């Protein structure tokens, strides 16, 4: 200790009340320790030496305390700013729910969002996207149990998952907005052993769309592609995983379009003024979807083929189910292939699908008719007049109802004493599947429609020859596509399907002479 003091090291000056207070405390403590220490003659220290040593220690400790306080202040400031940034980002995502587009980075909030799932292989009820974050490719597949194209897309997924040669560096997460019980039962019925998110409305807000399947491809933490179900195939997945160049047809939709609103009103699908009476035929809008919305005084069809518009215009006369079997298209192939294209579904082939989109833009149409108070049957007559006027000019064709004698299948009563299918009940119930038709308090016309779909392979109209037009209560099961088995089931109700020739109303589309 004496050698240290004699080393000539300059002691820092003690300044300020706080520093002086620390010095005095340390000096008294140091003197107490030194006084209790038994020193040899050579080690004895003078009072001045003890005070100098204590002063030095006081200065060093005070400077150390200042550094610690400064470091704590800096750390607190940093953490406060970091917490503010996280809170702000979470608030922005939660409050604004900003839709994500191609090129956007997946926010941390989305990775950590708890997602309710059913049919999980490990029995989990909740997962998060973070569990798949290490994958090279994550595909979010928005679907619904009622969607036919979605079934095809998920069936492809099921085949891939059972293929041992499939790479493991990708994950597909189906997402449905439907109830968990309904989705779970659907997956079980199909024999699929993969999970699906249910009640996925929050994810739908982040990835808005008008049609499904709607696939969001996430690569390297970013939204890289948004496609339809046709792009989901082994070739595209392998190219993504190998980081090869890929041509993939992106899904392009007018998200602002609302099919339940009149076309061109308030910018819906375009611009337009306020209308009182309105009949409009236009080119297709920018959307993969097609459909209709009708109510009293309003007819609205969007992205329909010429053939489909004719069906819509006569559906009060010819039921929509089985319409193909009550249509005669008497046209040369050059025109027939325009109004009834060979296929309208996407194949996943980039060139073919690109050509299909060009065809759709040129030969699909929207029709809108607004006339409050007008009967639907009268509106359909006006619609038929409109499309005949335009398609007559563009394609040289007309479509009309003609009564023609034709081969058909007739539902007949074979036992007049049996009428147990007739009912006056008002408790309506319908259950239809590949192997079942169960109806309660259902109009006979609807029953004929279900029979038509089951017998569609016969390419013949199905007509009602029973003379009864009321409500039916009936239950059929088994191979209902087989006419022999179907008649076995119908016999319980005194009914049968029999070949017949009858004059019926047919939609005839032909050239203008």
């Amino acid at each position: 200790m004496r050698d240290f003091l004699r080393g000539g090291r300059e002691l820092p000056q003690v300044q300020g009340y706080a520093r002086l207070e620390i010095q005095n405390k340390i000096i008294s403590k140091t003197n107490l320790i030194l006084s209790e220490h038994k020193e040899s003659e050579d080690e004895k220290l003078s009072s001045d030496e003890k005070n100098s040593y204590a002063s030095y220690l006081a200065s060093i400790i005070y400077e150390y305390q200042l550094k610690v306080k400064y470091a704590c202040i800096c750390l607190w400031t940093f953490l406060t700013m970091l917490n503010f940034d996280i809170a702000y980002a979470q608030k922005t995502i939660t409050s604004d729910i900003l839709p994500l587009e191609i090129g956007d980075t997946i926010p941390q909030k989305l990775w950590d969002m708890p997602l309710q799932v059913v049919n999980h292989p490990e029995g989990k009820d909740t997962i998060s996207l973070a569990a798949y974050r290490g994958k090279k490719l994550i595909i979010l597949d928005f679907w619904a149990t009622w969607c036919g194209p979605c079934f095809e897309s998920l069936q492809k997924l099921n085949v891939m998952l059972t293929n041992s040669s499939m790479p493991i560096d990708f994950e597909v997460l189906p997402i449905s907005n439907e109830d968990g019980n309904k989705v779970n039962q659907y997956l079980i019925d199909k024999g699929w052993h993969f999970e699906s998110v249910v009640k996925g409305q929050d994810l739908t807000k982040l990835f808005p769309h008008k049609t499904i399947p709607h696939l969001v491809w996430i690569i390297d933490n970013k939204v890289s592609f948004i496609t339809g179900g046709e792009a989901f195939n082994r070739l595209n997945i392998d190219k993504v995983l190998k980081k090869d160049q890929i041509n993939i047809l992106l899904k392009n939709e007018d998200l602002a379009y609302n099919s339940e609103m009149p076309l061109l009103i308030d910018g819906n699908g375009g611009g337009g003024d306020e209308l009182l009476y309105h009949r409009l035929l236009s080119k297709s809008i920018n959307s993969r979807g097609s459909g209709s919305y009708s109510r009293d005084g309003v007819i609205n069809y969007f992205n329909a083929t010429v053939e489909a518009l004719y069906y819509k215009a006569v559906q009060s006369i010819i039921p929509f189910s089985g319409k193909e079997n009550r249509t005669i298209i008497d046209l040369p192939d050059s025109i027939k292939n325009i109004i009834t294209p060979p296929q309208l579904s996407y194949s996943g082939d980039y060139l073919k699908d690109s050509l299909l989109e060009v065809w759709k833009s040129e030969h699909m149409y929207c029709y809108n008719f607004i006339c409050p108070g007008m009967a639907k049957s009268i509106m359909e007559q006006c619609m038929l007049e409109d499309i005949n006027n335009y398609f007559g000019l563009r394609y040289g064709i007309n479509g009309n109802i003609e009564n023609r004698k034709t081969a058909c299948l007739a539902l007949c009563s074979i036992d007049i004493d049996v009428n147990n299918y007739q009912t006056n009940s008002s408790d309506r119930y319908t259950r239809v599947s590949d192997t079942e038709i169960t109806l309660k308090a259902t109009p006979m016309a609807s029953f004929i429609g279900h029979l038509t779909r089951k017998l569609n392979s016969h390419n013949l109209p199905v007509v009602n020859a029973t003379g009864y037009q009321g409500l039916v209560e009936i239950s059929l099961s088994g191979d209902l596509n087989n006419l022999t088995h179907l008649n076995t089931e119908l016999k319980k109700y005194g009914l049968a399907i029999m070949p017949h020739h009858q004059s019926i109303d047919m939609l005839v589309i032909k050239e203008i002479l």
Side-chain angles (χ1 to χ4, degrees):
M1 186 181 298
R2 182 171 291 166
D3 291 339
F4 169 81
L5 294 173
R6 290 173 181 173
R9 181 170 180 178
E10 183 179 356
L11 300 177
Q13 298 297 313
V14 178
Q15 297 178 358
Y17 174 79
R19 198 165 190 169
L20 185 59
E21 184 180 14
I22 293 173
Q23 176 195 13
N24 291 335
K25 289 181 180 180
I26 295 177
I27 287 174
S28 63
K29 291 289 184 181
T30 304
N31 287 335
L32 179 62
I33 294 171
L34 292 175
S35 64
E36 294 176 353
H37 177 66
K38 294 183 178 180
E39 301 174 293
S40 65
E41 289 296 326
D42 294 335
E43 290 179 325
K44 286 184 178 180
L45 300 175
S46 67
S47 176
D48 289 341
E49 286 176 327
K50 292 179 179 179
N51 288 338
S52 296
Y53 184 60
S55 297
Y56 174 76
L57 288 178
S59 299
I60 294 301
I61 292 172
Y62 182 73
E63 289 180 359
Y64 176 77
Q65 288 179 332
L66 287 179
K67 290 178 180 178
V68 171
K69 288 182 179 179
Y70 178 73
C72 289
I73 292 173
C74 291
L75 180 61
W76 178 84
T77 303
F78 171 75
L79 292 176
T80 300
M81 294 178 64
L82 181 62
N83 288 334
F84 175 80
D85 288 342
I86 294 174
Y88 179 79
Q90 291 177 342
K91 182 178 180 181
T92 300
I93 295 173
T94 305
S95 301
D96 299 336
I97 314 181
L98 298 176
L100 297 175
E101 300 176 349
I102 293 176
D104 288 344
T105 299
I106 303 299
Q108 186 63 41
K109 177 70 174 179
L110 178 53
W111 288 113
D112 298 334
M113 181 186 297
L115 304 172
Q116 183 181 347
V117 294
V118 296
N119 202 46
H120 194 282
E122 299 177 8
K124 295 180 180 179
D125 296 324
T126 305
I127 62 170
S128 69
L129 288 181
Y132 312 117
R133 197 164 188 173
K135 302 289 186 179
K136 292 182 180 179
L137 169 63
I138 302 172
I139 299 177
L140 307 182
D141 186 351
F142 292 86
W143 72 288
T145 58
W146 48 261
C147 170
C150 298
F151 166 81
E152 296 175 5
S153 180
L154 293 179
Q155 181 63 24
K156 286 191 288 185
L157 170 60
N158 187 62
V159 172
M160 288 183 185
L161 293 177
T162 57
N163 187 343
S164 60
S165 67
M166 281 298 295
I168 62 173
D169 289 340
F170 82 100
E171 186 71 32
V172 180
L173 185 61
I175 301 166
S176 172
N177 290 345
E178 296 171 291
D179 175 74
N181 292 333
K182 182 176 183 179
V183 173
N184 189 50
Q185 189 60 51
Y186 182 88
L187 296 175
I188 292 174
D189 290 345
K190 299 302 180 185
W192 294 339
H193 302 291
F194 50 80
E195 70 273 22
S196 175
V197 174
V198 294
K199 297 181 180 180
Q201 284 80 359
D202 288 340
L203 287 173
T204 299
K205 291 178 182 177
L206 289 173
F207 301 100
H209 50 274
K210 300 294 287 187
T211 59
I212 51 178
H214 184 77
L215 275 61
V216 179
W217 300 57
I218 300 173
I219 305 171
D220 296 331
N221 200 29
K222 290 187 176 181
V223 179
S224 297
F225 309 117
I226 296 178
T227 72
E230 78 287 342
F232 179 63
N233 54 55
R234 178 69 182 268
L235 177 63
N236 286 338
I237 290 173
D238 285 344
K239 285 185 176 181
V240 170
L241 296 179
K242 295 177 182 178
K243 297 188 180 298
D244 291 343
Q245 183 177 356
I246 182 172
N247 289 322
I248 194 166
L249 190 65
L250 300 179
K251 192 176 178 187
N252 189 11
E253 293 187 308
D254 183 357
L255 295 177
Y257 180 70
N258 183 350
S259 63
E260 296 184 2
M261 297 296 292
L263 187 66
L264 304 182
I265 297 296
D266 297 329
N268 188 42
D273 298 325
E274 192 174 41
L275 303 171
L276 297 176
Y277 181 90
H278 171 69
R279 288 160 67 174
L280 179 144
L281 181 67
S282 76
K283 292 182 177 180
S284 61
I285 63 171
N286 185 16
S287 172
R288 284 200 179 185
S290 61
S292 62
Y293 173 71
S294 299
R295 55 182 171 82
D296 291 343
V298 176
I299 292 178
N300 190 16
Y301 303 115
F302 64 99
N303 291 359
T305 63
V306 174
E307 181 183 31
L309 287 178
Y310 274 114
Y311 289 149
K312 301 290 187 182
V314 299
Q315 62 181 343
S316 290
I317 303 173
I318 296 179
F320 197 72
S321 58
K323 58 191 180 300
E324 297 88 351
N325 298 334
R326 293 183 62 176
T327 301
I328 298 173
I329 300 178
D330 187 12
L331 296 170
D333 290 341
S334 58
I335 301 177
K336 187 175 182 179
N337 290 336
I338 290 177
I339 72 166
T340 58
Q343 63 89 22
L344 283 176
S345 59
Y346 291 88
S347 64
D349 182 284
Y350 177 78
L351 180 58
K352 290 181 180 179
D353 290 344
S354 297
L355 293 174
L356 175 59
E357 291 212 330
V358 172
W359 184 93
K360 284 185 171 184
S361 68
E362 294 179 352
H363 300 295
M364 295 186 78
Y365 301 89
C366 299
Y367 183 82
N368 188 225
F369 187 1
I370 300 175
C371 184
M374 182 177 284
K376 183 180 178 182
S377 59
I378 302 300
M379 296 182 74
E380 289 177 356
Q381 292 177 24
C382 295
M383 178 182 176
L384 183 61
E385 178 184 346
D386 288 336
I387 60 179
N388 271 338
N389 286 339
Y390 179 76
F391 297 141
L393 290 173
R394 180 166 188 188
Y395 302 116
I397 64 173
N398 266 186
N400 290 289
I401 296 295
E402 296 183 12
N403 190 267
R404 293 195 179 188
K405 190 169 186 177
T406 183
C408 59
L409 297 174
L411 178 67
C412 304
S413 294
I414 57 175
D415 188 345
I416 59 175
D417 295 324
V418 178
N419 59 1
N420 54 340
Y421 62 90
Q422 302 176 14
T423 182
N424 293 319
S425 172
S426 60
D427 186 16
R428 185 166 182 175
Y429 174 80
T430 301
R431 181 180 175 87
V432 178
S433 68
D434 292 340
T435 59
E436 179 184 7
I437 297 177
T438 299
L439 306 174
K440 293 182 180 180
T442 301
M444 173 61 85
S446 296
F447 179 42
I448 295 296
H450 292 303
L451 293 176
T452 299
R453 282 186 283 271
K454 294 298 182 185
L455 300 172
N456 195 51
S457 61
H458 291 263
N459 297 318
L460 293 172
V462 179
V463 298
N464 177 19
T466 65
Y468 178 72
Q469 300 292 340
L471 302 178
V472 302
E473 181 169 337
I474 197 165
S475 182
L476 312 174
S477 62
D479 185 7
L480 302 180
N481 298 308
N482 182 290
L483 183 56
T484 301
H485 178 79
L486 178 60
N487 274 332
T488 300
E489 290 290 298
L490 289 170
K491 188 176 181 180
K492 296 181 295 185
Y493 301 93
L495 300 172
I497 297 287
M498 304 178 65
H500 192 57
H501 275 77
Q502 181 176 323
S503 293
I504 58 176
D505 289 329
M506 304 283 288
L507 170 62
V508 181
I509 304 175
K510 58 187 178 182
E511 286 186 288
I512 299 174
L513 300 178

